[in-house]
Amino acid sequence: MRPQDAVEKALALSRADDCVVIADETSTANLRWAGNTLTTNGVTRSGRLTVIALRETGGGVAAGVVSRAAVDAGGIEDLVRAAEADAAGNAPAEDAAPLVAEPPAGAGGWDEDPAETGIGVFERVAPALGEAFAAAQAADRRLYGFANHVLTSTFVGSSAGLRARHDQPTGLLELNAKGEGGSAWAGVGTRDFADVDVDGLAAGLARRLDWGKRRVDLPAGRYETILPPSAVADLMVYLYWSAGAQDAADGRTVFSAPGGGTRVGERLSNVPVTLSSDPAAPGMECAPFVVAHASGRESSVFDNGVALGATDWISGGTLNALTQTRHSADRTGLALTPSIDNLAMTGPDGGASLEEMVARTERGLLLTCLWYIREVDPQSLLLTGLTRDGVYLVEDGEVVGAVNNFRFNESPVDLLGRIAEAGRTEPTLPREWSDYFTRAAMPALRVGDFNMSTVSQAS
C-alpha cells in the first residue's frame, strides 16, 4: 500500500473527533571502507505510520499517539484503535489548538509515489574513493569511513483536510586517515553527493598527517583558538537545541531572563554574527512545514502543517527568537518561530578563509573537531568534551606540530561574547551530531581564550 493511501485509510477508519496521520517512507544506501578497501554496501527500505487521535472532553482536547513500523493494510485499523484508546485515557492537552487545514507552500505532490535512493547515488563518489585509496596506499596512509544517503518521503493528512508531503534527502560522508602523523578526520553533508570533493578531503587529511609528524606537549590553559566550521557547528547546534522558548520562559535555560521571561532582545556578541534557519536555504533545503510525531516542550502534534519561514535566531549579535510551538508563543507573547531542520551562521562581509586566519595567527591552537560533548549546566549551557583527531600549534602563521588532546569546558553562549574574528561561511558537517543534524553552514571562529581545562590522554 502506498503511504498516502495508508493515510487516507487511517483517516477513514478514525472514530475520534479529529485525527492526524503521518506516513514516513524511507530508503537508505550506504558504503563503508577500511584500510583503503571498500568493505560493505547496501540498500534498505522502511516505513512508519503514526496516528494521532484527538478526543474532545469537557476540559479541552486529549491526544493519543501511536506509531508503528511496517504496518500493512490489515494492520491500520488496529493502529487507529490503539491511538483512540490512548486518547481516551489521557487528560486534556495543554498545547491543544485548531488543526491546520490548508497545505503550506511547497507541500505539494501528494499523489506522486515516494522518492527513493539507491546505490547509484554514489556513482561519482565510489571511483573517487578508489583513487584516494590508491594514493593513500602509496604514501603509507590508511583511509577509513563511510557514506550514507537517506531519502524520506513524509505524508501528513488530517481530518481538517490537510494534505502535505515533503521529500527529504540527507547524505553525509566521513573520512578518517591514519598514518605516521596520527589520525585526522573530515566530513561533509550533502543532498546528492554531486558536490562531494573526495580528492580535496583526502588531500586535506594528508596535510594534517604531515603536520602531526612533529609532536608538541602543552599544558591545560586558555589559548587563542581557531575553531573550524565543523567544531563551530557542533557548538551552535547544541545552542539551537537548547533554545526552546517554553523552557526559557520557565527559568530553566541559559536563555531565561533573571526575574522571569526570556533574554530575547539581549545582545550576545559584539561581533555582528547572525544564526539563522531557512527551509529554502540553497543546498540545505528542508521541510517547509511542521512535522510533529509527538508533543513535548518544543513540539506539538496540533502544529502539524504549520508553515515554516526563514528565521534569524540571533541577528547581528542580538538574540532575536527562540524555538516555539503555537502554545509556547501564546504563553511568551513572542512571534511563532517553530524549529527548522537546518542552521547557518554568518559574520561580517569579507570574512577570511580558515587558511587566511591561520596565516594571521602569531601563536594559537587550530582544532580539527570536538568529540563526546556533554552538558554540565543548563543554566549557563556549559558544555564539556574532548578534542580529537588533531589539535595543532600555530606559530608565526604556520602550523608547526600536533599538540596533545584536551578536555574543554565552554558555553557556546558565553563563547559568542568572546569571538575575536568570524571567518567565511561554508557548508560543513557537525561531527558529534552528524547522526541527527547534517544541514549546516558555519564560519571558522577565532576565540581569544578557549578553555582547555585538562590534558586528555585520549588519542
Side-chain angles (χ1 to χ4, degrees):
M1 173 177 273
R2 300 191 315 156
Q4 56 269 62
D5 295 333
V7 171
E8 299 292 358
K9 182 170 183 177
L11 289 171
L13 288 167
S14 173
R15 298 169 183 165
D17 294 302
D18 273 307
C19 186
V20 181
V21 182
I22 305 171
D24 298 295
E25 193 78 6
T26 298
S27 55
T28 302
N30 64 79
L31 289 178
R32 291 188 176 275
W33 54 93
N36 299 331
T37 303
L38 284 173
T39 56
T40 61
N41 65 78
V43 175
T44 63
R45 291 184 176 80
S46 63
R48 176 167 290 274
L49 193 64
T50 301
V51 175
I52 303 160
L54 304 176
R55 175 181 65 89
E56 294 184 3
T57 72
V61 179
V65 182
V66 177
S67 182
R68 292 175 183 166
V71 179
D72 60 18
I76 293 177
E77 181 164 10
D78 183 65
L79 180 63
V80 172
R81 299 294 168 248
E84 291 167 352
D86 188 40
N90 289 337
E94 66 172 10
D95 59 328
L99 295 180
V100 174
E102 297 297 323
W110 178 264
D111 292 327
E112 298 172 10
D113 287 339
E116 286 189 18
T117 188
I119 208 70
V121 75
F122 303 123
E123 183 178 19
R124 283 186 60 257
V125 166
L129 282 169
E131 294 175 7
F133 295 158
Q137 191 73 28
D140 198 25
R141 297 189 299 271
R142 299 173 305 284
L143 295 178
Y144 301 81
F146 65 95
N148 202 48
H149 192 244
V150 180
L151 187 44
T152 298
S153 294
T154 297
F155 299 81
V156 183
S158 80
S159 55
L162 176 71
R163 298 292 186 273
R165 176 249 182 85
H166 177 72
D167 296 331
Q168 184 65 68
T170 302
L172 79 164
L173 184 147
E174 296 198 33
L175 193 62
N176 277 82
K178 297 182 185 297
E180 183 183 352
S183 64
W185 172 90
V188 62
T190 179
R191 287 173 61 84
D192 55 13
F193 288 87
D195 54 351
V196 174
D197 179 8
V198 173
D199 289 347
L201 292 173
L205 295 180
R207 182 172 61 163
R208 292 180 184 179
L209 291 187
D210 284 341
W211 291 344
K213 291 177 180 176
R214 181 190 174 212
R215 308 295 297 179
V216 180
D217 290 329
L218 288 180
R222 289 183 175 270
Y223 290 92
E224 176 174 308
T225 299
I226 298 174
L227 299 162
S230 175
V232 174
D234 272 322
L235 295 174
M236 292 305 132
V237 166
Y238 205 98
L239 179 154
Y240 180 46
W241 284 342
S242 305
Q246 186 155 319
D247 281 342
D250 289 343
R252 297 182 178 186
T253 77
V254 68
F255 297 112
S256 304
T262 74
R263 294 173 65 184
V264 169
E266 182 177 325
R267 192 164 190 81
L268 301 179
S269 175
N270 290 325
V271 176
V273 293
T274 293
L275 190 69
S276 60
S277 301
D278 180 358
M284 302 197 299
E285 294 90 344
C286 59
F289 57 90
V290 171
V291 179
H293 294 80
S295 285
R297 303 285 294 180
E298 297 172 30
S299 66
S300 169
V301 294
F302 295 92
D303 288 355
N304 274 299
V306 168
L308 301 174
T311 304
D312 286 348
W313 310 106
I314 296 172
S315 180
T318 297
L319 183 63
N320 184 65
L322 299 170
T323 54
Q324 300 266 17
T325 63
R326 286 185 291 176
H327 171 64
S328 70
D330 286 342
R331 280 194 58 200
T332 61
L334 298 171
L336 174 60
T337 48
S339 178
I340 299 167
D341 199 17
N342 61 31
L343 192 65
M345 173 180 273
T346 55
D349 291 342
S353 67
L354 181 64
E355 291 74 16
E356 291 168 336
M357 292 173 69
V358 169
R360 293 204 297 258
T361 302
E362 183 176 343
R363 191 172 194 272
L365 300 180
L366 170 64
L367 284 182
T368 297
C369 57
L370 305 176
W371 185 250
Y372 209 70
I373 299 171
R374 296 293 183 268
E375 186 176 280
V376 177
D377 175 22
Q379 295 290 340
S380 62
L381 201 59
L382 179 64
L383 305 178
T384 190
L386 301 173
T387 64
R388 183 179 172 108
D389 285 330
V391 184
Y392 303 98
L393 177 63
V394 180
E395 291 181 330
D396 299 324
E398 299 285 343
V399 176
V400 297
V403 178
N404 46 274
N405 278 309
F406 296 97
R407 173 169 292 283
F408 71 89
N409 286 300
E410 277 287 354
S411 162
V413 177
D414 185 54
L415 183 144
L416 288 173
R418 295 184 284 114
I419 296 173
E421 181 182 5
R424 184 185 308 157
T425 297
E426 59 183 63
T428 191
L429 180 70
R431 185 187 188 179
E432 172 79 318
W433 310 126
S434 61
D435 285 349
Y436 316 102
F437 201 103
T438 61
R439 287 171 279 278
M442 297 282 157
L445 294 180
R446 185 192 304 276
V447 181
D449 52 357
F450 195 86
N451 184 15
M452 302 296 188
S453 55
T454 59
V455 171
S456 169
Q457 300 306 316
S459 61

